[in-house]
Amino acid sequence: MFGGAGFAILAGLHYWYPKMFGRMYSERQAKIGWLLLFFGFNVLYFSMFVLGYQGMPRRYFDYPPEYFPGHLVSTMGSWFLARV
């Protein structure tokens, strides 16, 4: 849901920023922010995709230990995405 709606909302804010606040944003900072957001999003959700492809069961309270590295990467991606 975030991939479609979240990026669309942020793109709309990026497009309408000069109209809302009466001044231009720094294009360099906007590109760096987009790159960091894109990186965090892909680390979070691609690692979940790989875990699902490996056969990780869904909606379990406690997962088997062989899925720990994938969960760790996914958690780090979520922290990175939340910080951006």
Side-chain angles (χ1 to χ4, degrees):
M1 299 297 282
F2 174 75
F7 276 108
I9 290 170
L10 291 174
L13 287 173
H14 176 79
Y15 181 79
W16 288 103
Y17 183 87
K19 186 80 166 171
M20 291 187 301
F21 298 108
R23 62 188 181 108
M24 285 298 292
Y25 50 82
S26 170
E27 190 170 335
R28 183 171 184 258
Q29 287 180 346
K31 287 181 181 180
I32 290 171
W34 177 85
L35 184 64
L36 294 174
L37 186 71
F38 186 75
F39 175 76
F41 177 82
N42 281 308
V43 168
L44 171 62
Y45 291 109
F46 187 71
S47 61
M48 285 186 195
F49 172 76
V50 170
L51 284 169
Y53 190 73
Q54 291 174 347
M56 180 189 78
R58 294 176 60 188
R59 298 183 185 95
Y60 277 35
F61 176 74
D62 195 18
Y63 292 101
E66 63 264 14
Y67 299 119
F68 177 75
H71 279 284
L72 184 63
V73 170
S74 180
T75 300
M76 288 189 296
S78 71
W79 290 346
F80 188 82
L81 189 61
R83 288 290 288 187
V84 174

mmCIF file with all atom_site columns, all heavy atoms in Angstrom, residues 40-62:
data_model
loop_
_atom_site.group_PDB
_atom_site.id
_atom_site.type_symbol
_atom_site.label_atom_id
_atom_site.label_alt_id
_atom_site.label_comp_id
_atom_site.label_asym_id
_atom_site.label_entity_id
_atom_site.label_seq_id
_atom_site.pdbx_PDB_ins_code
_atom_site.Cartn_x
_atom_site.Cartn_y
_atom_site.Cartn_z
_atom_site.occupancy
_atom_site.B_iso_or_equiv
_atom_site.pdbx_formal_charge
_atom_site.auth_seq_id
_atom_site.auth_comp_id
_atom_site.auth_asym_id
_atom_site.auth_atom_id
_atom_site.pdbx_PDB_model_num
ATOM 1   N N   . GLY A 1 40 ? 15.542 2.583   1.007  1.00 0.00 ? 40 GLY A N   1
ATOM 2   C CA  . GLY A 1 40 ? 14.925 1.998   2.202  1.00 0.00 ? 40 GLY A CA  1
ATOM 3   C C   . GLY A 1 40 ? 13.700 1.164   1.863  1.00 0.00 ? 40 GLY A C   1
ATOM 4   O O   . GLY A 1 40 ? 13.491 0.083   2.424  1.00 0.00 ? 40 GLY A O   1
ATOM 5   N N   . PHE A 1 41 ? 12.888 1.651   0.931  1.00 0.00 ? 41 PHE A N   1
ATOM 6   C CA  . PHE A 1 41 ? 11.701 0.912   0.509  1.00 0.00 ? 41 PHE A CA  1
ATOM 7   C C   . PHE A 1 41 ? 12.078 -0.436  -0.091 1.00 0.00 ? 41 PHE A C   1
ATOM 8   O O   . PHE A 1 41 ? 11.485 -1.467  0.221  1.00 0.00 ? 41 PHE A O   1
ATOM 9   C CB  . PHE A 1 41 ? 10.923 1.756   -0.504 1.00 0.00 ? 41 PHE A CB  1
ATOM 10  C CG  . PHE A 1 41 ? 9.722  1.068   -1.066 1.00 0.00 ? 41 PHE A CG  1
ATOM 11  C CD1 . PHE A 1 41 ? 8.530  1.055   -0.369 1.00 0.00 ? 41 PHE A CD1 1
ATOM 12  C CD2 . PHE A 1 41 ? 9.784  0.434   -2.291 1.00 0.00 ? 41 PHE A CD2 1
ATOM 13  C CE1 . PHE A 1 41 ? 7.421  0.424   -0.894 1.00 0.00 ? 41 PHE A CE1 1
ATOM 14  C CE2 . PHE A 1 41 ? 8.684  -0.205  -2.815 1.00 0.00 ? 41 PHE A CE2 1
ATOM 15  C CZ  . PHE A 1 41 ? 7.491  -0.201  -2.112 1.00 0.00 ? 41 PHE A CZ  1
ATOM 16  N N   . ASN A 1 42 ? 13.088 -0.447  -0.965 1.00 0.00 ? 42 ASN A N   1
ATOM 17  C CA  . ASN A 1 42 ? 13.479 -1.695  -1.617 1.00 0.00 ? 42 ASN A CA  1
ATOM 18  C C   . ASN A 1 42 ? 14.147 -2.663  -0.659 1.00 0.00 ? 42 ASN A C   1
ATOM 19  O O   . ASN A 1 42 ? 13.940 -3.872  -0.766 1.00 0.00 ? 42 ASN A O   1
ATOM 20  C CB  . ASN A 1 42 ? 14.387 -1.403  -2.809 1.00 0.00 ? 42 ASN A CB  1
ATOM 21  C CG  . ASN A 1 42 ? 13.588 -0.956  -3.996 1.00 0.00 ? 42 ASN A CG  1
ATOM 22  O OD1 . ASN A 1 42 ? 12.633 -1.608  -4.393 1.00 0.00 ? 42 ASN A OD1 1
ATOM 23  N ND2 . ASN A 1 42 ? 13.952 0.177   -4.551 1.00 0.00 ? 42 ASN A ND2 1
ATOM 24  N N   . VAL A 1 43 ? 14.941 -2.164  0.289  1.00 0.00 ? 43 VAL A N   1
ATOM 25  C CA  . VAL A 1 43 ? 15.552 -3.060  1.280  1.00 0.00 ? 43 VAL A CA  1
ATOM 26  C C   . VAL A 1 43 ? 14.463 -3.709  2.129  1.00 0.00 ? 43 VAL A C   1
ATOM 27  O O   . VAL A 1 43 ? 14.502 -4.909  2.397  1.00 0.00 ? 43 VAL A O   1
ATOM 28  C CB  . VAL A 1 43 ? 16.564 -2.298  2.161  1.00 0.00 ? 43 VAL A CB  1
ATOM 29  C CG1 . VAL A 1 43 ? 16.979 -3.128  3.362  1.00 0.00 ? 43 VAL A CG1 1
ATOM 30  C CG2 . VAL A 1 43 ? 17.776 -1.913  1.353  1.00 0.00 ? 43 VAL A CG2 1
ATOM 31  N N   . LEU A 1 44 ? 13.468 -2.935  2.515  1.00 0.00 ? 44 LEU A N   1
ATOM 32  C CA  . LEU A 1 44 ? 12.393 -3.462  3.351  1.00 0.00 ? 44 LEU A CA  1
ATOM 33  C C   . LEU A 1 44 ? 11.557 -4.503  2.606  1.00 0.00 ? 44 LEU A C   1
ATOM 34  O O   . LEU A 1 44 ? 11.423 -5.638  3.057  1.00 0.00 ? 44 LEU A O   1
ATOM 35  C CB  . LEU A 1 44 ? 11.494 -2.318  3.831  1.00 0.00 ? 44 LEU A CB  1
ATOM 36  C CG  . LEU A 1 44 ? 10.203 -2.699  4.546  1.00 0.00 ? 44 LEU A CG  1
ATOM 37  C CD1 . LEU A 1 44 ? 10.506 -3.457  5.821  1.00 0.00 ? 44 LEU A CD1 1
ATOM 38  C CD2 . LEU A 1 44 ? 9.396  -1.460  4.844  1.00 0.00 ? 44 LEU A CD2 1
ATOM 39  N N   . TYR A 1 45 ? 11.022 -4.127  1.468  1.00 0.00 ? 45 TYR A N   1
ATOM 40  C CA  . TYR A 1 45 ? 10.037 -4.998  0.819  1.00 0.00 ? 45 TYR A CA  1
ATOM 41  C C   . TYR A 1 45 ? 10.648 -6.080  -0.059 1.00 0.00 ? 45 TYR A C   1
ATOM 42  O O   . TYR A 1 45 ? 10.057 -7.147  -0.217 1.00 0.00 ? 45 TYR A O   1
ATOM 43  C CB  . TYR A 1 45 ? 9.029  -4.163  0.045  1.00 0.00 ? 45 TYR A CB  1
ATOM 44  C CG  . TYR A 1 45 ? 8.149  -3.377  0.978  1.00 0.00 ? 45 TYR A CG  1
ATOM 45  C CD1 . TYR A 1 45 ? 8.274  -2.002  1.091  1.00 0.00 ? 45 TYR A CD1 1
ATOM 46  C CD2 . TYR A 1 45 ? 7.222  -4.008  1.782  1.00 0.00 ? 45 TYR A CD2 1
ATOM 47  C CE1 . TYR A 1 45 ? 7.483  -1.286  1.970  1.00 0.00 ? 45 TYR A CE1 1
ATOM 48  C CE2 . TYR A 1 45 ? 6.427  -3.305  2.664  1.00 0.00 ? 45 TYR A CE2 1
ATOM 49  C CZ  . TYR A 1 45 ? 6.565  -1.946  2.749  1.00 0.00 ? 45 TYR A CZ  1
ATOM 50  O OH  . TYR A 1 45 ? 5.794  -1.239  3.620  1.00 0.00 ? 45 TYR A OH  1
ATOM 51  N N   . PHE A 1 46 ? 11.831 -5.844  -0.630 1.00 0.00 ? 46 PHE A N   1
ATOM 52  C CA  . PHE A 1 46 ? 12.442 -6.920  -1.424 1.00 0.00 ? 46 PHE A CA  1
ATOM 53  C C   . PHE A 1 46 ? 12.907 -8.054  -0.530 1.00 0.00 ? 46 PHE A C   1
ATOM 54  O O   . PHE A 1 46 ? 12.812 -9.220  -0.903 1.00 0.00 ? 46 PHE A O   1
ATOM 55  C CB  . PHE A 1 46 ? 13.599 -6.392  -2.275 1.00 0.00 ? 46 PHE A CB  1
ATOM 56  C CG  . PHE A 1 46 ? 14.140 -7.416  -3.219 1.00 0.00 ? 46 PHE A CG  1
ATOM 57  C CD1 . PHE A 1 46 ? 13.401 -7.812  -4.316 1.00 0.00 ? 46 PHE A CD1 1
ATOM 58  C CD2 . PHE A 1 46 ? 15.371 -7.996  -2.996 1.00 0.00 ? 46 PHE A CD2 1
ATOM 59  C CE1 . PHE A 1 46 ? 13.886 -8.778  -5.189 1.00 0.00 ? 46 PHE A CE1 1
ATOM 60  C CE2 . PHE A 1 46 ? 15.864 -8.957  -3.856 1.00 0.00 ? 46 PHE A CE2 1
ATOM 61  C CZ  . PHE A 1 46 ? 15.125 -9.344  -4.962 1.00 0.00 ? 46 PHE A CZ  1
ATOM 62  N N   . SER A 1 47 ? 13.404 -7.724  0.661  1.00 0.00 ? 47 SER A N   1
ATOM 63  C CA  . SER A 1 47 ? 13.802 -8.799  1.573  1.00 0.00 ? 47 SER A CA  1
ATOM 64  C C   . SER A 1 47 ? 12.585 -9.615  2.019  1.00 0.00 ? 47 SER A C   1
ATOM 65  O O   . SER A 1 47 ? 12.681 -10.829 2.196  1.00 0.00 ? 47 SER A O   1
ATOM 66  C CB  . SER A 1 47 ? 14.556 -8.244  2.774  1.00 0.00 ? 47 SER A CB  1
ATOM 67  O OG  . SER A 1 47 ? 13.753 -7.352  3.496  1.00 0.00 ? 47 SER A OG  1
ATOM 68  N N   . MET A 1 48 ? 11.437 -8.954  2.184  1.00 0.00 ? 48 MET A N   1
ATOM 69  C CA  . MET A 1 48 ? 10.215 -9.702  2.500  1.00 0.00 ? 48 MET A CA  1
ATOM 70  C C   . MET A 1 48 ? 9.798  -10.599 1.337  1.00 0.00 ? 48 MET A C   1
ATOM 71  O O   . MET A 1 48 ? 9.339  -11.729 1.549  1.00 0.00 ? 48 MET A O   1
ATOM 72  C CB  . MET A 1 48 ? 9.079  -8.737  2.820  1.00 0.00 ? 48 MET A CB  1
ATOM 73  C CG  . MET A 1 48 ? 9.161  -8.097  4.155  1.00 0.00 ? 48 MET A CG  1
ATOM 74  S SD  . MET A 1 48 ? 7.653  -7.163  4.407  1.00 0.00 ? 48 MET A SD  1
ATOM 75  C CE  . MET A 1 48 ? 8.123  -6.150  5.765  1.00 0.00 ? 48 MET A CE  1
ATOM 76  N N   . PHE A 1 49 ? 9.976  -10.114 0.117  1.00 0.00 ? 49 PHE A N   1
ATOM 77  C CA  . PHE A 1 49 ? 9.665  -10.917 -1.055 1.00 0.00 ? 49 PHE A CA  1
ATOM 78  C C   . PHE A 1 49 ? 10.542 -12.160 -1.107 1.00 0.00 ? 49 PHE A C   1
ATOM 79  O O   . PHE A 1 49 ? 10.059 -13.266 -1.370 1.00 0.00 ? 49 PHE A O   1
ATOM 80  C CB  . PHE A 1 49 ? 9.849  -10.081 -2.329 1.00 0.00 ? 49 PHE A CB  1
ATOM 81  C CG  . PHE A 1 49 ? 9.735  -10.866 -3.587 1.00 0.00 ? 49 PHE A CG  1
ATOM 82  C CD1 . PHE A 1 49 ? 8.492  -11.258 -4.056 1.00 0.00 ? 49 PHE A CD1 1
ATOM 83  C CD2 . PHE A 1 49 ? 10.853 -11.207 -4.307 1.00 0.00 ? 49 PHE A CD2 1
ATOM 84  C CE1 . PHE A 1 49 ? 8.371  -11.988 -5.214 1.00 0.00 ? 49 PHE A CE1 1
ATOM 85  C CE2 . PHE A 1 49 ? 10.756 -11.932 -5.460 1.00 0.00 ? 49 PHE A CE2 1
ATOM 86  C CZ  . PHE A 1 49 ? 9.510  -12.320 -5.924 1.00 0.00 ? 49 PHE A CZ  1
ATOM 87  N N   . VAL A 1 50 ? 11.833 -11.984 -0.845 1.00 0.00 ? 50 VAL A N   1
ATOM 88  C CA  . VAL A 1 50 ? 12.760 -13.117 -0.860 1.00 0.00 ? 50 VAL A CA  1
ATOM 89  C C   . VAL A 1 50 ? 12.407 -14.110 0.239  1.00 0.00 ? 50 VAL A C   1
ATOM 90  O O   . VAL A 1 50 ? 12.433 -15.335 0.014  1.00 0.00 ? 50 VAL A O   1
ATOM 91  C CB  . VAL A 1 50 ? 14.217 -12.625 -0.732 1.00 0.00 ? 50 VAL A CB  1
ATOM 92  C CG1 . VAL A 1 50 ? 15.176 -13.776 -0.505 1.00 0.00 ? 50 VAL A CG1 1
ATOM 93  C CG2 . VAL A 1 50 ? 14.613 -11.829 -1.954 1.00 0.00 ? 50 VAL A CG2 1
ATOM 94  N N   . LEU A 1 51 ? 12.049 -13.626 1.423  1.00 0.00 ? 51 LEU A N   1
ATOM 95  C CA  . LEU A 1 51 ? 11.648 -14.528 2.500  1.00 0.00 ? 51 LEU A CA  1
ATOM 96  C C   . LEU A 1 51 ? 10.411 -15.329 2.115  1.00 0.00 ? 51 LEU A C   1
ATOM 97  O O   . LEU A 1 51 ? 10.332 -16.530 2.388  1.00 0.00 ? 51 LEU A O   1
ATOM 98  C CB  . LEU A 1 51 ? 11.378 -13.736 3.781  1.00 0.00 ? 51 LEU A CB  1
ATOM 99  C CG  . LEU A 1 51 ? 12.592 -13.252 4.546  1.00 0.00 ? 51 LEU A CG  1
ATOM 100 C CD1 . LEU A 1 51 ? 12.178 -12.273 5.631  1.00 0.00 ? 51 LEU A CD1 1
ATOM 101 C CD2 . LEU A 1 51 ? 13.329 -14.421 5.147  1.00 0.00 ? 51 LEU A CD2 1
ATOM 102 N N   . GLY A 1 52 ? 9.452  -14.696 1.501  1.00 0.00 ? 52 GLY A N   1
ATOM 103 C CA  . GLY A 1 52 ? 8.266  -15.414 1.053  1.00 0.00 ? 52 GLY A CA  1
ATOM 104 C C   . GLY A 1 52 ? 8.581  -16.439 -0.013 1.00 0.00 ? 52 GLY A C   1
ATOM 105 O O   . GLY A 1 52 ? 8.017  -17.537 -0.048 1.00 0.00 ? 52 GLY A O   1
ATOM 106 N N   . TYR A 1 53 ? 9.518  -16.095 -0.892 1.00 0.00 ? 53 TYR A N   1
ATOM 107 C CA  . TYR A 1 53 ? 9.924  -17.032 -1.942 1.00 0.00 ? 53 TYR A CA  1
ATOM 108 C C   . TYR A 1 53 ? 10.635 -18.244 -1.357 1.00 0.00 ? 53 TYR A C   1
ATOM 109 O O   . TYR A 1 53 ? 10.543 -19.340 -1.883 1.00 0.00 ? 53 TYR A O   1
ATOM 110 C CB  . TYR A 1 53 ? 10.827 -16.306 -2.940 1.00 0.00 ? 53 TYR A CB  1
ATOM 111 C CG  . TYR A 1 53 ? 11.117 -17.090 -4.184 1.00 0.00 ? 53 TYR A CG  1
ATOM 112 C CD1 . TYR A 1 53 ? 10.141 -17.258 -5.154 1.00 0.00 ? 53 TYR A CD1 1
ATOM 113 C CD2 . TYR A 1 53 ? 12.362 -17.667 -4.389 1.00 0.00 ? 53 TYR A CD2 1
ATOM 114 C CE1 . TYR A 1 53 ? 10.396 -17.988 -6.301 1.00 0.00 ? 53 TYR A CE1 1
ATOM 115 C CE2 . TYR A 1 53 ? 12.637 -18.394 -5.519 1.00 0.00 ? 53 TYR A CE2 1
ATOM 116 C CZ  . TYR A 1 53 ? 11.644 -18.542 -6.487 1.00 0.00 ? 53 TYR A CZ  1
ATOM 117 O OH  . TYR A 1 53 ? 11.898 -19.261 -7.612 1.00 0.00 ? 53 TYR A OH  1
ATOM 118 N N   . GLN A 1 54 ? 11.323 -18.043 -0.234 1.00 0.00 ? 54 GLN A N   1
ATOM 119 C CA  . GLN A 1 54 ? 12.023 -19.145 0.432  1.00 0.00 ? 54 GLN A CA  1
ATOM 120 C C   . GLN A 1 54 ? 11.069 -20.030 1.231  1.00 0.00 ? 54 GLN A C   1
ATOM 121 O O   . GLN A 1 54 ? 11.474 -21.068 1.723  1.00 0.00 ? 54 GLN A O   1
ATOM 122 C CB  . GLN A 1 54 ? 13.101 -18.606 1.363  1.00 0.00 ? 54 GLN A CB  1
ATOM 123 C CG  . GLN A 1 54 ? 14.261 -17.981 0.657  1.00 0.00 ? 54 GLN A CG  1
ATOM 124 C CD  . GLN A 1 54 ? 15.233 -17.325 1.605  1.00 0.00 ? 54 GLN A CD  1
ATOM 125 O OE1 . GLN A 1 54 ? 14.943 -17.117 2.780  1.00 0.00 ? 54 GLN A OE1 1
ATOM 126 N NE2 . GLN A 1 54 ? 16.402 -16.978 1.088  1.00 0.00 ? 54 GLN A NE2 1
ATOM 127 N N   . GLY A 1 55 ? 9.827  -19.615 1.386  1.00 0.00 ? 55 GLY A N   1
ATOM 128 C CA  . GLY A 1 55 ? 8.844  -20.448 2.055  1.00 0.00 ? 55 GLY A CA  1
ATOM 129 C C   . GLY A 1 55 ? 8.504  -20.042 3.469  1.00 0.00 ? 55 GLY A C   1
ATOM 130 O O   . GLY A 1 55 ? 7.970  -20.855 4.230  1.00 0.00 ? 55 GLY A O   1
ATOM 131 N N   . MET A 1 56 ? 8.800  -18.824 3.829  1.00 0.00 ? 56 MET A N   1
ATOM 132 C CA  . MET A 1 56 ? 8.484  -18.375 5.188  1.00 0.00 ? 56 MET A CA  1
ATOM 133 C C   . MET A 1 56 ? 6.965  -18.319 5.371  1.00 0.00 ? 56 MET A C   1
ATOM 134 O O   . MET A 1 56 ? 6.267  -17.720 4.563  1.00 0.00 ? 56 MET A O   1
ATOM 135 C CB  . MET A 1 56 ? 9.076  -16.989 5.439  1.00 0.00 ? 56 MET A CB  1
ATOM 136 C CG  . MET A 1 56 ? 8.791  -16.467 6.821  1.00 0.00 ? 56 MET A CG  1
ATOM 137 S SD  . MET A 1 56 ? 9.269  -14.757 7.023  1.00 0.00 ? 56 MET A SD  1
ATOM 138 C CE  . MET A 1 56 ? 7.925  -13.937 6.203  1.00 0.00 ? 56 MET A CE  1
ATOM 139 N N   . PRO A 1 57 ? 6.450  -18.943 6.420  1.00 0.00 ? 57 PRO A N   1
ATOM 140 C CA  . PRO A 1 57 ? 5.008  -18.879 6.659  1.00 0.00 ? 57 PRO A CA  1
ATOM 141 C C   . PRO A 1 57 ? 4.580  -17.488 7.109  1.00 0.00 ? 57 PRO A C   1
ATOM 142 O O   . PRO A 1 57 ? 5.356  -16.756 7.719  1.00 0.00 ? 57 PRO A O   1
ATOM 143 C CB  . PRO A 1 57 ? 4.782  -19.913 7.760  1.00 0.00 ? 57 PRO A CB  1
ATOM 144 C CG  . PRO A 1 57 ? 6.097  -20.085 8.415  1.00 0.00 ? 57 PRO A CG  1
ATOM 145 C CD  . PRO A 1 57 ? 7.140  -19.774 7.396  1.00 0.00 ? 57 PRO A CD  1
ATOM 146 N N   . ARG A 1 58 ? 3.361  -17.125 6.801  1.00 0.00 ? 58 ARG A N   1
ATOM 147 C CA  . ARG A 1 58 ? 2.839  -15.805 7.160  1.00 0.00 ? 58 ARG A CA  1
ATOM 148 C C   . ARG A 1 58 ? 2.026  -15.874 8.440  1.00 0.00 ? 58 ARG A C   1
ATOM 149 O O   . ARG A 1 58 ? 1.460  -16.900 8.787  1.00 0.00 ? 58 ARG A O   1
ATOM 150 C CB  . ARG A 1 58 ? 1.938  -15.286 6.041  1.00 0.00 ? 58 ARG A CB  1
ATOM 151 C CG  . ARG A 1 58 ? 2.700  -15.010 4.776  1.00 0.00 ? 58 ARG A CG  1
ATOM 152 C CD  . ARG A 1 58 ? 1.800  -14.592 3.672  1.00 0.00 ? 58 ARG A CD  1
ATOM 153 N NE  . ARG A 1 58 ? 1.079  -13.373 4.021  1.00 0.00 ? 58 ARG A NE  1
ATOM 154 C CZ  . ARG A 1 58 ? 0.103  -12.871 3.297  1.00 0.00 ? 58 ARG A CZ  1
ATOM 155 N NH1 . ARG A 1 58 ? -0.278 -13.472 2.201  1.00 0.00 ? 58 ARG A NH1 1
ATOM 156 N NH2 . ARG A 1 58 ? -0.511 -11.770 3.659  1.00 0.00 ? 58 ARG A NH2 1
ATOM 157 N N   . ARG A 1 59 ? 1.971  -14.736 9.136  1.00 0.00 ? 59 ARG A N   1
ATOM 158 C CA  . ARG A 1 59 ? 1.139  -14.535 10.326 1.00 0.00 ? 59 ARG A CA  1
ATOM 159 C C   . ARG A 1 59 ? 1.447  -15.542 11.442 1.00 0.00 ? 59 ARG A C   1
ATOM 160 O O   . ARG A 1 59 ? 0.551  -16.092 12.068 1.00 0.00 ? 59 ARG A O   1
ATOM 161 C CB  . ARG A 1 59 ? -0.337 -14.584 9.953  1.00 0.00 ? 59 ARG A CB  1
ATOM 162 C CG  . ARG A 1 59 ? -0.723 -13.482 8.990  1.00 0.00 ? 59 ARG A CG  1
ATOM 163 C CD  . ARG A 1 59 ? -2.210 -13.516 8.702  1.00 0.00 ? 59 ARG A CD  1
ATOM 164 N NE  . ARG A 1 59 ? -2.553 -12.542 7.701  1.00 0.00 ? 59 ARG A NE  1
ATOM 165 C CZ  . ARG A 1 59 ? -2.663 -12.792 6.406  1.00 0.00 ? 59 ARG A CZ  1
ATOM 166 N NH1 . ARG A 1 59 ? -2.449 -14.015 5.967  1.00 0.00 ? 59 ARG A NH1 1
ATOM 167 N NH2 . ARG A 1 59 ? -2.977 -11.839 5.557  1.00 0.00 ? 59 ARG A NH2 1
ATOM 168 N N   . TYR A 1 60 ? 2.730  -15.760 11.665 1.00 0.00 ? 60 TYR A N   1
ATOM 169 C CA  . TYR A 1 60 ? 3.157  -16.598 12.776 1.00 0.00 ? 60 TYR A CA  1
ATOM 170 C C   . TYR A 1 60 ? 3.724  -15.701 13.860 1.00 0.00 ? 60 TYR A C   1
ATOM 171 O O   . TYR A 1 60 ? 4.359  -14.690 13.572 1.00 0.00 ? 60 TYR A O   1
ATOM 172 C CB  . TYR A 1 60 ? 4.258  -17.565 12.335 1.00 0.00 ? 60 TYR A CB  1
ATOM 173 C CG  . TYR A 1 60 ? 3.768  -18.826 11.674 1.00 0.00 ? 60 TYR A CG  1
ATOM 174 C CD1 . TYR A 1 60 ? 2.643  -18.838 10.862 1.00 0.00 ? 60 TYR A CD1 1
ATOM 175 C CD2 . TYR A 1 60 ? 4.430  -20.018 11.854 1.00 0.00 ? 60 TYR A CD2 1
ATOM 176 C CE1 . TYR A 1 60 ? 2.202  -19.981 10.257 1.00 0.00 ? 60 TYR A CE1 1
ATOM 177 C CE2 . TYR A 1 60 ? 4.002  -21.183 11.244 1.00 0.00 ? 60 TYR A CE2 1
ATOM 178 C CZ  . TYR A 1 60 ? 2.885  -21.156 10.444 1.00 0.00 ? 60 TYR A CZ  1
ATOM 179 O OH  . TYR A 1 60 ? 2.457  -22.296 9.849  1.00 0.00 ? 60 TYR A OH  1
ATOM 180 N N   . PHE A 1 61 ? 3.548  -16.104 15.096 1.00 0.00 ? 61 PHE A N   1
ATOM 181 C CA  . PHE A 1 61 ? 4.110  -15.337 16.206 1.00 0.00 ? 61 PHE A CA  1
ATOM 182 C C   . PHE A 1 61 ? 5.624  -15.482 16.260 1.00 0.00 ? 61 PHE A C   1
ATOM 183 O O   . PHE A 1 61 ? 6.340  -14.524 16.488 1.00 0.00 ? 61 PHE A O   1
ATOM 184 C CB  . PHE A 1 61 ? 3.483  -15.789 17.535 1.00 0.00 ? 61 PHE A CB  1
ATOM 185 C CG  . PHE A 1 61 ? 4.081  -15.105 18.719 1.00 0.00 ? 61 PHE A CG  1
ATOM 186 C CD1 . PHE A 1 61 ? 3.778  -13.782 18.980 1.00 0.00 ? 61 PHE A CD1 1
ATOM 187 C CD2 . PHE A 1 61 ? 4.956  -15.772 19.560 1.00 0.00 ? 61 PHE A CD2 1
ATOM 188 C CE1 . PHE A 1 61 ? 4.339  -13.131 20.072 1.00 0.00 ? 61 PHE A CE1 1
ATOM 189 C CE2 . PHE A 1 61 ? 5.509  -15.138 20.647 1.00 0.00 ? 61 PHE A CE2 1
ATOM 190 C CZ  . PHE A 1 61 ? 5.196  -13.815 20.905 1.00 0.00 ? 61 PHE A CZ  1
ATOM 191 N N   . ASP A 1 62 ? 6.110  -16.687 16.069 1.00 0.00 ? 62 ASP A N   1
ATOM 192 C CA  . ASP A 1 62 ? 7.540  -16.964 16.149 1.00 0.00 ? 62 ASP A CA  1
ATOM 193 C C   . ASP A 1 62 ? 7.941  -17.740 14.898 1.00 0.00 ? 62 ASP A C   1
ATOM 194 O O   . ASP A 1 62 ? 7.361  -18.777 14.594 1.00 0.00 ? 62 ASP A O   1
ATOM 195 C CB  . ASP A 1 62 ? 7.839  -17.773 17.406 1.00 0.00 ? 62 ASP A CB  1
ATOM 196 C CG  . ASP A 1 62 ? 9.302  -17.795 17.756 1.00 0.00 ? 62 ASP A CG  1
ATOM 197 O OD1 . ASP A 1 62 ? 10.037 -16.933 17.252 1.00 0.00 ? 62 ASP A OD1 1
ATOM 198 O OD2 . ASP A 1 62 ? 9.703  -18.671 18.544 1.00 0.00 ? 62 ASP A OD2 1
#
